[in-house]
Amino acid sequence: MNETMVCAVGNVATQPVYRDLAAGASVRFRLAVTSRYWDREKGTWTDGHTNFFTVWANRQLATNASASLNVGDPVMVQGRLRVRTESREGQQSWTSADIDAVAIGHDISRGTSAFRRSGRPEPMAVGSPARPEPDWETPAADAAEPEPETPQSRHREPVAVT
């Protein structure tokens, strides 16, 4: 199925609303995306039109977004664009642009952010040993073993340095 994937960069316009549903966690918030352009006459940057999107996130992304986002935060949202038009009897029709988020993150070109992994418990079988941590230590230079000799290294021509 072809879907329209978008990446929108803007500011959180409403406080994220968290709901714990039977299908899992869900959060929604409004995202304001304003284009900016250089106005040659004024010699300054000028705000253009602002588009508003309703961002929907589910499961772990919803939980993390709810704990991380506040009104005014600069964010980047990647997800599936859904544009829908509704008309109600006796009222004017309206169009809504929603983004079903796949990824949400702070825009660190406009500030700093401190990332913390969420504490998701890993299921462990009873009696199974814990996984050992990998050894990331780099061996000392004096403890390095010499390279093994290969047939190609035995037949190298000496290089004259002038």
Side-chain angles (χ1 to χ4, degrees), residues 86-98:
E86 288 190 23
S87 57
R88 295 187 180 146
E89 201 171 308
Q91 294 181 351
Q92 191 175 6
S93 67
W94 54 275
T95 302
S96 172
D98 297 352

Side-chain angles (χ1 to χ4, degrees), residues 3 24 40 43 52 55 59 74 77 81 84-85 87 97 104 127 137:
E3 296 176 329
R40 292 182 190 180
F52 287 91
V55 177
R59 294 178 287 286
V77 177
L81 179 65
R84 56 190 171 93
T85 303
S87 57
I104 301 171
E137 293 294 319

Side-chain angles (χ1 to χ4, degrees), residues 52-128:
F52 287 91
F53 298 94
T54 301
V55 177
W56 296 88
N58 296 304
R59 294 178 287 286
Q60 190 65 41
L61 180 58
T63 304
N64 293 343
S66 176
S68 302
L69 302 179
N70 292 301
V71 173
D73 284 355
V75 293
M76 297 171 31
V77 177
Q78 182 181 10
R80 290 175 291 281
L81 179 65
R82 307 260 190 240
V83 179
R84 56 190 171 93
T85 303
E86 288 190 23
S87 57
R88 295 187 180 146
E89 201 171 308
Q91 294 181 351
Q92 191 175 6
S93 67
W94 54 275
T95 302
S96 172
D98 297 352
I99 299 175
D100 293 332
V102 174
I104 301 171
H106 284 109
D107 181 0
I108 60 173
S109 70
R110 297 191 274 162
T112 62
S113 183
F115 179 79
R116 289 181 308 277
R117 291 199 183 277
S118 58
R120 262 193 338 203
E122 292 184 23
M124 287 185 68
V126 177
S128 65

